[in-house]
Amino acid sequence: VHSGIAMAALAGVDLALWDLWGRIQGRPVYALLGCSSPRPVALYASGGFVPGLGALRQELLQWQQKGFDALKIRGGANLQDDIARIGLARALRGPDFTLRFDAAQPYKHVPPSEADILAVAGACERHGFRFLEEPCDPHDVKAYRKLSRQTDVPLACGENLYRRDEFEAFARVVPVLQPDVARAGGITNVRTMAHLAQELWPHSFYGSVSWSASAHLCAATQNAVMLETDGLPNPFRRRLMESNGHRVEGGRLILSDAPGLGVEGIESCI
């Protein structure tokens, strides 16, 4: 199976089977993965979509009030604005706050010049950003290899990769891999590739089922560092996640011992 659509379809079946197995056994998925006592899953807030430095400042303060000590921001208006956003985030949050910059969304439609990419990488490096995500075409291994030799800021990619051979190729070039269980064949496929990464930072956006699956995987995977949580209002997802006792406290996800993935359908939400 080679296409992204096929791997995503396979992921849906895989997640459903893990959930079913857990329900039959009466055990949470993290226990099926070999973790008897899960650690709280560290979360990083995925935001920074807002335009303008004033709006970004306000969003950063809001995440701070929610107890998050790690954040990913985005840019895209222009090079000067991106560098200003990187500087603002660090100045506002201080040296101990974990920051990342995601170049995928702003740069995928109008690819920047190599000089612009190096300038953004340089800003991330100067301001101590944890990594720079998808600054190049997500399938261009050569471009990542070249950039990794030109900057010391760690590079990250993986949300748009689907097959094991793709992850094997990128694992030799970047230290941070970000597989998405809803795209890369589900828990079964991703768990067999997790050891390839120096650090695993699973990608997860929007969905409650895939987010829960990623959390179970993180809880049972030694090199999983943090799990993404998007900052967009989503009361439907929140109620589904809370239906079996999952809860977020101070930037950490506490998984319940509910069987399967721990996500229940609620008719009133639907």
Side-chain angles (χ1 to χ4, degrees), residues 1-234:
V1 178
H2 295 289
S3 74
I5 293 176
M7 291 302 287
L10 178 62
V13 175
D14 184 80
L15 298 185
L17 290 175
W18 277 99
D19 186 50
L20 177 61
W21 184 22
R23 290 172 186 269
I24 291 174
Q25 296 290 323
R27 303 171 68 196
V29 167
Y30 62 74
L32 301 179
L33 293 170
C35 177
S36 58
S37 180
R39 56 186 171 88
V41 178
L43 303 174
Y44 70 90
S46 185
F49 292 101
V50 293
L53 296 181
L56 178 61
R57 178 188 295 272
Q58 183 177 1
E59 182 180 354
L60 289 168
L61 292 173
Q62 290 173 346
W63 281 115
Q64 183 178 23
Q65 293 170 358
K66 294 178 181 179
F68 281 81
D69 57 8
L71 177 69
K72 179 168 72 178
I73 64 171
R74 287 143 175 101
N78 54 65
L79 176 62
Q80 291 72 27
D81 184 73
D82 287 354
I83 293 176
R85 291 166 75 85
I86 291 169
L88 171 65
R90 177 55 72 206
L92 190 62
R93 300 313 306 263
D96 298 327
F97 193 81
T98 304
L99 291 166
R100 302 149 205 79
F101 189 80
D102 185 352
Q105 295 302 317
Y107 292 161
K108 66 182 179 181
H109 300 299
V110 182
S113 67
E114 183 175 321
D116 286 354
I117 293 176
L118 285 172
V120 169
C124 289
E125 185 178 334
R126 288 193 303 276
H127 292 287
F129 270 50
R130 188 63 180 76
F131 61 68
L132 172 59
E133 180 178 338
E134 287 196 342
C136 310
D137 183 293
H139 304 285
D140 191 343
V141 178
K142 292 182 179 179
Y144 279 89
R145 182 180 295 112
K146 181 178 181 180
L147 181 59
S148 68
R149 294 169 178 169
Q150 298 172 304
T151 181
D152 288 331
V153 65
L155 304 181
C157 71
E159 69 177 83
N160 290 303
L161 304 180
Y162 306 96
R163 309 188 311 267
R164 183 183 179 90
D165 61 307
E166 292 177 315
F167 283 99
E168 288 176 341
F170 274 91
R172 292 189 287 268
V173 176
V174 302
V176 178
L177 290 182
Q178 302 170 292
D180 189 320
V181 296
R183 300 177 182 178
I187 292 174
T188 301
N189 196 40
V190 173
R191 72 184 295 228
T192 66
M193 303 186 298
H195 71 282
L196 297 172
Q198 295 179 37
E199 296 181 1
L200 194 73
W201 297 65
H203 173 270
S204 185
F205 215 80
Y206 299 125
S208 55
V209 174
S210 61
W211 195 58
S212 179
S214 298
H216 282 270
L217 182 66
C218 284
T221 304
Q222 187 173 5
N223 64 335
V225 180
M226 279 188 166
L227 174 62
E228 182 173 24
T229 180
D230 75 78
L232 302 177
N234 195 331

